[in-house]
Amino acid sequence: MDALHAAAVAITKARRIAVLTGAGVSAESGIPTFRSALASMGALWKDFDPATLATPEAFARDPERVTRWYDHRRLGCLAALPNPGHLALADLERDLESRGGEVILLTQNVDRLHQKAGSRRVVELHGTLITWRCTLTGRHTTPEPAPMREFPTPSPFDPRGLLRPNVVWFGERLPDDAVAAAENAAASCDVFMAVGTSSQVYPAAGFIHAAMARGAVTIEVNPEKTPISDLVDIRLQGPGGEVLPRLLVAARAGKGF
Ligand code: BV8
């Protein structure tokens, strides 16, 4: 049995499927993957390592530069459309629900494309770029779909504060409710899929290992090798926008969803 068929059989047998997605699932929507995010920014960012840019210290040190980077990415996310990979994951959620099962989508992405594609059970492990919050009051706001007017951006809630993106920076805690939902999903799923992630950022990548340790069937969808490629049960090598729709067709053929 080839890998795609084996994955389709595992999905048709599953009642609970957890899916961890990373930047790769949005690559075909034109959003650069995290580690290459700077390439889309041109020379201005060539000497900047995103892992140092995505930190509270970087924001404290140079709020203008960090705000510009995030606002540029926010506008890209707002303009982006879900690709066939996002849409297939939304279809998978509906298929499982049609037979009393469930899909829990744990995303590291901050672009809200899974929601745009129709996925409803989405856990944003690293927050989102679409909403921002006041550094002093913590109050949230959804900036209008146009470039910020001032860099850094004064908070509308307290003139002494600034607006920052609602993302989880390196060195910041993930939201407790998101971690609890992810831990629960990893502890109770029949199948755990890792799609479009380099599986290098923790604690998100740790959920794959937790599911593996419990004996869930693990599936990776990625065109490249990653630290988990030789550990998962089934490796589907290819872009999510091609593999996921084919996987869904195979699963539906096997189960008549
Ligand atoms: C924390 C939001 C503690 C911001 C991001 C062990 C345990 C806990 C923490 C750590 C640990 N070890 C190290 C740490 C620290 C750190 C960490 O993991 N560092 C890494 C670099 C080693 N973790 C943290 O700091 C976390 N916080 O632990 O806090 C704490 C506890 C108590 C109190 C205070 C603090 C916070 C981590 C979250 C950081 N925020 N994003 C923003 O977006 O700017 S991380 C960001 O990078 C993304 O969200 C994502 O998670 C990560 C990048 O990973 P990927 O999504 O996988 O993307 P990448 O580009 O790497 O890979 C893309 C993949 O797609 C590739 O494999 C490629 O082959 C594939 N691909 C390409 N095209 C396609 C494709 N796949 C499918 N289809 C395609 N078409």
Side-chain angles (χ1 to χ4, degrees), residues 95-150:
D95 286 356
L96 264 283
E97 285 176 355
S98 71
R99 57 181 171 86
E102 63 177 353
V103 170
I104 306 104
L105 212 168
L106 312 169
T107 190
Q108 299 172 87
N109 298 339
V110 294
D111 56 32
R112 292 226 155 140
L113 285 178
H114 286 303
Q115 293 91 330
K116 262 187 199 173
S119 287
R120 291 200 311 276
R121 297 256 342 241
V122 181
V123 177
E124 292 180 324
L125 294 171
H126 295 160
T128 180
L129 255 180
I130 304 307
T131 62
W132 291 43
R133 68 173 184 268
C134 171
T135 52
L136 283 187
T137 65
R139 290 178 65 187
H140 289 204
T141 183
T142 304
E144 59 181 0
M148 298 290 201
R149 281 190 281 274
E150 247 186 289

Side-chain angles (χ1 to χ4, degrees), residues 21-25 27-28 33-36 51 54 69-70 73 108-110 126 167-174 195-204 221-226 238-241:
T21 62
V25 85
E28 291 155 271
T33 56
F34 191 81
R35 284 174 173 66
S36 63
W69 188 53
Y70 278 95
R73 288 175 57 197
Q108 299 172 87
N109 298 339
V110 294
H126 295 160
V167 298
V168 177
W169 278 326
F170 286 100
E172 290 187 323
R173 278 175 79 86
L174 278 60
V195 181
T197 180
S198 60
S199 300
Q200 293 175 43
V201 172
Y202 285 80
V221 178
N222 198 314
E224 308 288 333
K225 272 201 91 168
T226 72

